[in-house]
Amino acid sequence: MAEPEFTATGVRIGKRLRSLTRAGQVRISGGRLELLTSYGSEIDSAPVQAVRASRPWFAPEDRALADLNGKRYLLTLGDHDPAPGEPGPPAARRFIEAVRRASGRGA
C-alpha cells in the first residue's frame, strides 16, 4: 500500500451543526479522500477529483470545508502546523493545498 499523501489525526468533523467526531482522521491516499472516526470507521470518502476544499468565510484559521458526495463537512484542524516531532493536526491551509495537489488542480 502506498504512503498517504496527507494524514491528519485529532480532527473535529462536523456536518451542519452536528459534530460527527471530535478526534477523527482525514486521509488522502490512492486518489481518495477519506473522513474517518477516531476508531477508523469511515464517515465518508470520495475520489479527490470530486472533492471541493475551501476555507469558510469569517472563520478561524483552523477550519476548512470539504464537499464530498453532495455533503458539506466542517473540519477543525490545527491553527498552525505542529513543530517537527510534535503531535497535533496540520493546518487547514495544508489540507486544502493537499486536496488541490492530489486532484491536479494546481499548487
Side-chain angles (χ1 to χ4, degrees), residues 11-46:
V11 178
R12 180 181 294 254
I13 301 172
K15 193 167 132 186
R16 297 200 182 255
L17 297 175
R18 185 172 155 227
S19 177
L20 300 175
T21 182
R22 294 185 342 191
Q25 301 173 32
V26 176
R27 185 171 42 205
I28 299 174
S29 179
R32 289 190 71 80
L33 173 72
E34 299 174 315
L35 302 178
L36 307 169
T37 66
S38 56
Y39 298 108
S41 59
E42 185 176 293
I43 295 171
D44 205 349
S45 71

Side-chain angles (χ1 to χ4, degrees), residues 67-82:
D67 293 332
L68 286 84
N69 303 321
K71 300 176 198 131
R72 178 169 287 176
Y73 295 95
L74 178 64
L75 310 175
T76 305
L77 296 108
D79 54 357
H80 62 280
D81 287 323

Side-chain angles (χ1 to χ4, degrees), residues 39-58:
Y39 298 108
S41 59
E42 185 176 293
I43 295 171
D44 205 349
S45 71
V48 151
Q49 289 82 5
V51 173
R52 269 188 31 214
S54 61
R55 279 208 1 87
W57 289 21
F58 305 110

